[in-house]
Amino acid sequence: MKFLFRIAFAALAVLPGLVHAQGAYPNKPVHVVVSTVPGPLDAFARLVCEKLASSLKQPFVVENKAGAGGNIAAQYVKDQPADGYTLLFAIDTTFTVNPPLYKARLGFDPVKDFVAIAVPVTYGQMLTVNPSVQARNVSELIALSKQKPLSYASGGNGSPSHLVAAYFLSTAGANMTHVPYKGTGQSVIDILGGRIDTLFAVTSGVLPYVKDSRLRALAVSSAKRSALAPDVPTIAELGYPGFDVSFAYALMAPANTPDEIVQLLSREVQKAMTAPDIQEKMRMADYSPTGLDPKQSAAWLRESREKWTKVINQNNISPE
């Protein structure tokens, strides 16, 4: 009996070391699902994953699973083991806009099915008009919209450009005709051609047209002015205090992922934000680093979801 006890005791003494060795994270490649086709989010996610792979000594393999505004990727990741080896890099709207937009058809619960690792960057949108529109500032645009019909373009029903415009117009007490497109590309072409009057779009995307006077910039949606266009005021500065619309990227993991893994990844993402090439990417893309930890990231997503739920319900916005 004493002999058996000694064997059992020796096994227990070795076990923690074995568990630690087996459980050291990461000890195999990490699968990172990006919720869009190759584009801005994909480029940013791949840069971050390169830094994580270098720091944590394991490959972070990126795969694109686009569709349904990020829902397809989210539905896939939520069903994966909560072990830190399958992560989701998504635009925040997957967790802030899609729940009230798609409702029962969403296919996942943004709170119960996921844990936030990081919301590393945010970015605003720029309000532009075709130069033929007789408005040189926001006040003139609102006044003009009450005198004659005006139109605004978006990248589709429920897209960020639609939501920020709807929120702005309801805040300003104005109305314009919404013209949705299948993506922002054609909407930019049509406002350049004078077929559309106004457009909210990502600042870095429309700024070249502003600089060559093919579009006129009136304001930016974020709380702070854009570093790329410091002469363009915020909407909040122009008589709408508190107006602040920013979108973001979010790194998420399936619910019940061990907290030590979540915290480790969060710290590594924040470290990656200091890399010179990522700093340059953020500058060129007009991204603002947040420094948010997992708890703060979850709060940011929750507050944004509450805001967009009100906007979607008040404006009867649907994905169709």
Side-chain angles (χ1 to χ4, degrees), residues 31-310:
H31 181 202
V32 181
V33 177
V34 172
S35 65
T36 65
V37 297
L41 168 62
D42 177 76
F44 180 78
R46 289 178 187 275
L47 266 180
V48 173
C49 286
E50 286 177 10
K51 305 306 178 191
L52 297 181
S54 176
S55 179
L56 295 175
K57 311 304 182 185
Q58 286 290 342
F60 276 66
V61 182
V62 175
E63 178 188 6
N64 301 86
K65 284 185 179 292
N71 291 352
I72 290 175
Q75 291 165 5
Y76 171 80
V77 172
K78 84 174 180 68
D79 292 329
Q80 303 309 305
D83 56 6
Y85 289 98
T86 304
L87 309 175
L88 173 65
F89 232 130
I91 298 174
D92 73 287
T93 51
T94 300
F95 298 92
T96 60
V97 171
N98 290 6
L101 190 66
Y102 288 90
K103 299 181 173 65
R105 294 177 293 159
L106 187 63
F108 64 92
D109 187 301
V111 176
K112 295 180 181 179
D113 291 333
F114 287 91
V115 59
I117 295 170
V119 173
V121 294
T122 61
Y123 55 94
Q125 297 213 348
M126 179 175 279
L127 171 59
T128 62
V129 297
N130 182 278
S132 65
V133 175
Q134 300 301 303
R136 304 200 68 84
N137 55 55
V138 166
S139 296
E140 290 180 0
L141 179 65
I142 297 305
L144 186 63
S145 72
K146 297 177 180 180
Q147 298 168 12
K148 58 179 290 188
L150 293 178
S151 59
Y152 73 93
S154 79
N157 288 321
S159 65
S161 52
H162 181 199
L163 293 167
V164 65
Y167 183 35
F168 167 66
L169 291 172
S170 62
T171 301
N175 288 296
M176 296 183 193
T177 301
H178 176 218
V179 182
Y181 289 80
K182 293 183 178 179
T184 57
Q186 188 60 46
S187 67
V188 172
I189 291 172
D190 278 7
I191 190 173
L192 290 171
R195 290 176 288 277
I196 296 294
D197 297 312
T198 70
L199 171 71
F200 272 99
V202 174
T203 299
S204 59
V206 293
L207 191 58
Y209 304 113
V210 172
K211 289 183 175 180
D212 66 13
S213 301
R214 298 178 66 190
L215 290 177
R216 182 182 302 131
L218 302 187
V220 292
S221 67
S222 50
K224 295 181 179 180
R225 294 191 181 198
S226 166
L228 293 181
D231 294 335
V232 179
T234 67
I235 291 175
E237 291 178 61
L238 301 175
Y240 304 95
F243 191 96
D244 177 14
V245 172
S246 292
F247 297 95
Y249 296 150
L251 181 60
M252 311 291 286
N256 300 314
T257 297
D259 186 62
E260 58 268 27
I261 292 178
V262 171
Q263 298 297 334
L264 170 64
L265 289 170
S266 174
R267 291 192 299 271
E268 292 298 329
V269 169
Q270 295 309 322
K271 187 191 302 182
M273 293 299 100
T274 66
D277 54 344
I278 291 187
Q279 291 269 314
E280 178 62 10
K281 173 66 177 177
M282 290 191 292
R283 187 188 70 81
M284 294 296 294
D286 199 40
Y287 298 156
S288 298
T290 67
L292 299 180
D293 64 22
K295 184 176 180 180
Q296 293 166 333
S297 295
W300 191 97
L301 293 170
R302 182 182 65 252
E303 291 166 6
S304 293
R305 185 164 54 250
E306 291 170 354
K307 174 173 64 182
W308 292 126
T309 297
K310 292 178 182 177

